[in-house]
Amino acid sequence: MENRGRNSKRLVLVPGPFQGHLTPMLQLATILKSRGFSITIAHTQFNSPDSSAHPDFAFLCIPDGLSEQEVRNPDLAAIVLRLNDNCKSSFRECLSQGTNHTEPGEKICCIIYDALVYFSEAAARDLKIPSIALYTSSAATTIVRPILHELKAQGHIPVPDSMLQVPVPLHQPLRFGDLPTFNFGSLDYFFEVVALAYNLRPSSAVILNTVHCLEESPLAQLNRKYQVPIFPVGPLHKFAPTSAASLLQEDTGCIPWLDKQTHNSVIYVSLGSVAHMSQDQLSEMAWGLANSKEPFLWVIRPGSIPGLEWIESMDEEFKECVKDRGCIVKWAPQKKVLAHEAVGGFWSHCGWNSTLESICEGVPMICQPCFGDQKVNARYLTHEWRVGLELEGEIERGTVERAIRTLMKEKEGEEMRQSVLDLKNKVDFSVGDAGSSCHYLSELVKLLTSL
Ligand code: UDP
């Protein structure tokens, strides 16, 4: 049961309702709980977290009014806008009633909210409670988002082909083609979300799940540009390694399979919790993996291939060809997988959590960014930190096979492995007692205590 001290300070944390947002918020909650705060997780009904995995927190479900049809909408920006419209007053009401998530006399000292659920900030302002935003993407993504609005005003969205390779001035190594746009759903909705969610002004501070040694330059730019204190306290999972946040059931059966593989031999493949692939892409990925002759662990999320339940169309010839050399699961315990000594490479969509998790385990990457901030992360992985190589253009079995061989067997891959191990050591230092993230975490706790 939660220990609700009468005089303790309570924080209300509001996660964004997607896996890549929920995970860092629950990690932050775990960290702040360990620093003596009482925690309430206020979440939408849509993609709600598993409260039984967190007996130390109080949970508050915000009625979000989404219909069955709205929940199934593939346009995530449309869902985000609707949630924000629907939740502002219901959240304010939940907070002002305050019956099931605070003790008598207990004060909510701050609302920490994911930038996507910006209704929280509006409710906090109405109730005169201080608020702090958590941004779950990198500092590089955060600093370049406003450029998208400039491009839109100039009529350059979608970014024309002639600009895709052009460097973005002052934001090396990014090119205009790497800027975090979406290639599905309504662009108008997308821009509305960016304008409403990623506007640093209203909050009293911003927490970033990043680390100074990875993003010195974008962090310096953020500090110059915005007046609010910025706390780069990541990678959060390093401070909260046991925090459980999976929305899907993890298949731990892949760990005994990994135990049977040799050191650094396995390529782990996952495109995260949102990205989709076509049946053609599935087939090209499958044959690229098969032809590489390397062992692989592949996460294919049910529903991630339009028109298929799971992998029922995977051809028998492929299964016959790979036999026990491949293990396919619906959802993996990713952090355990990356930490496993058999895993020698990560073919990833480069979501920010996956990027940090791979760096922290010293695993070099094959980058297949699909949309949004993944393109920014992939560019940093390949051209700034030099710990990954990018699969560019259409996914095709020959390119896949070559990329896997390069990463797992060739000198170029070996150099990336060395670079990512160097980076891992720097990150390990940052989360240690004398490191930058540890310092910013103490500063954040000081600020929260003073509220
Ligand atoms: N993840 C997992 N099992 C899987 C695939 C992903 O636990 O099989 C986790 C992964 O560890 C990461 C999160 O899901 O923490 C995905 O977040 P990310 O930012 O990488 O990508 P997104 O899903 O938001 O596109």
Side-chain angles (χ1 to χ4, degrees):
M1 267 304 288
E2 198 200 17
N3 171 20
R4 295 179 171 184
R6 220 154 246 251
N7 296 317
S8 83
K9 295 204 172 224
R10 180 161 293 271
L11 304 172
V12 173
L13 275 66
V14 195
F18 302 103
Q19 185 69 67
H21 292 253
L22 195 57
T23 301
M25 188 62 94
L26 288 173
Q27 289 161 348
L28 181 63
T30 303
I31 298 165
L32 293 173
K33 175 80 196 172
S34 75
R35 306 288 166 124
F37 294 95
S38 299
I39 302 290
T40 296
I41 303 292
H43 59 87
T44 54
Q45 291 162 304
F46 171 63
N47 277 345
S48 58
D50 174 10
S51 56
S52 68
H54 299 278
D56 284 352
F57 305 157
F59 281 80
L60 174 65
C61 183
I62 310 165
D64 62 30
L66 286 189
S67 67
E68 284 287 308
Q69 200 188 355
E70 284 170 322
V71 164
R72 282 197 299 272
N73 189 347
D75 189 338
L76 301 186
I79 295 187
V80 169
L81 289 171
R82 179 51 70 112
L83 272 178
N84 278 285
D85 279 350
N86 292 358
C87 288
K88 185 181 161 191
S89 51
S90 53
F91 182 46
R92 197 179 42 215
E93 273 160 35
C94 289
L95 283 183
S96 38
Q97 285 164 6
T99 44
N100 57 351
H101 56 91
T102 49
E103 290 285 292
E106 193 180 48
K107 175 178 165 233
I108 297 174
C109 67
C110 186
I111 294 176
I112 301 180
Y113 65 99
D114 186 294
L116 269 191
V117 284
Y118 48 85
F119 66 80
S120 321
E121 193 273 333
R125 208 163 357 113
D126 289 353
L127 295 171
K128 303 201 174 8
I129 302 173
S131 66
I132 296 183
L134 169 69
Y135 282 28
T136 58
S137 36
S138 69
T141 295
T142 307
I143 191 74
V144 297
R145 273 204 188 96
I147 298 175
L148 287 171
H149 289 282
E150 292 165 27
L151 289 179
K152 186 163 184 267
Q154 293 157 7
H156 292 326
I157 294 286
V159 178
D161 286 353
S162 60
M163 285 176 71
L164 292 176
Q165 305 293 329
V166 175
V168 181
L170 307 177
H171 295 287
Q172 202 210 352
L174 300 180
R175 304 159 299 180
F176 282 100
D178 301 316
L179 291 176
T181 52
F182 267 66
N183 49 7
F184 64 88
S186 150
L187 266 181
D188 287 340
Y189 288 164
F190 166 74
F191 273 97
E192 202 176 331
V193 169
V194 174
L196 293 168
Y198 296 105
N199 166 2
L200 284 163
R201 275 170 295 279
S203 339
S204 39
V206 169
I207 302 169
L208 278 169
N209 186 18
T210 190
V211 49
H212 190 260
C213 66
L214 289 181
E215 296 208 278
E216 203 176 330
S217 166
L219 279 168
Q221 292 187 47
L222 274 177
N223 277 315
R224 276 198 300 275
K225 183 160 177 184
Y226 297 102
Q227 304 309 315
V228 297
I230 291 175
F231 298 98
V233 295
L236 289 166
H237 76 276
K238 294 291 287 182
F239 292 103
T242 56
S243 171
S246 237
L247 287 167
L248 296 172
Q249 174 84 38
E250 291 174 348
D251 182 346
T252 50
C254 55
I255 301 293
W257 180 86
L258 283 175
D259 291 341
K260 290 190 214 125
Q261 313 302 321
T262 56
H263 182 65
N264 275 354
S265 66
V266 174
I267 176 103
Y268 167 59
V269 190
S270 165
L271 300 184
S273 65
V274 182
H276 288 79
M277 57 187 151
S278 67
Q279 294 192 31
D280 280 353
Q281 272 176 343
L282 176 74
S283 169
E284 293 305 305
M285 287 174 82
W287 281 108
L289 284 163
N291 297 342
S292 77
K293 306 276 188 272
E294 303 298 331
F296 62 87
L297 167 59
W298 188 3
V299 176
I300 305 181
R301 242 175 42 245
S304 63
I305 307 150
L308 296 186
E309 285 276 322
W310 192 40
I311 50 171
E312 58 276 15
S313 75
M314 197 81 108
D315 74 47
E316 285 303 319
E317 204 189 330
F318 164 77
K319 290 184 191 159
E320 193 48 36
C321 174
V322 297
K323 292 204 178 89
D324 289 347
R325 191 163 50 76
C327 173
I328 301 182
V329 295
K330 294 180 174 169
W331 192 250
Q334 180 164 302
K335 285 193 283 295
K336 278 200 191 106
V337 166
L338 288 168
H340 198 287
E341 59 134 25
V343 173
F346 182 10
W347 173 3
S348 168
H349 70 310
C350 307
W352 185 237
N353 294 290
S354 295
T355 299
L356 291 174
E357 290 161 13
S358 204
I359 290 174
C360 287
E361 296 304 337
V363 178
M365 294 169 82
I366 293 176
C367 305
Q368 186 193 332
C370 304
F371 54 78
D373 67 334
Q374 298 156 20
K375 292 183 288 174
V376 175
N377 305 335
R379 186 71 178 164
Y380 266 74
L381 284 161
T382 54
H383 286 77
E384 180 75 11
W385 307 317
R386 302 192 184 273
V387 299
L389 54 93
E390 182 160 0
L391 274 182
E392 281 180 288
E394 284 290 296
I395 298 299
E396 185 271 318
R397 62 190 71 187
T399 332
V400 169
E401 182 189 338
R402 270 193 301 284
I404 295 174
R405 289 247 168 83
T406 306
L407 191 77
M408 306 298 281
K409 291 278 177 248
E410 291 172 12
K411 187 159 175 278
E412 197 181 331
E414 200 39 55
E415 284 167 2
M416 287 175 193
R417 192 175 313 283
Q418 194 48 56
S419 304
V420 75
L421 285 172
D422 293 345
L423 217 47
K424 169 189 169 18
N425 289 336
K426 286 185 189 160
V427 174
D428 283 347
F429 181 81
S430 302
V431 295
D433 287 349
S436 64
S437 293
C438 202
H439 161 76
Y440 283 113
L441 202 50
S442 303
E443 293 298 302
L444 174 64
V445 168
K446 263 190 228 159
L447 172 70
L448 291 171
T449 309
S450 73
L451 293 173

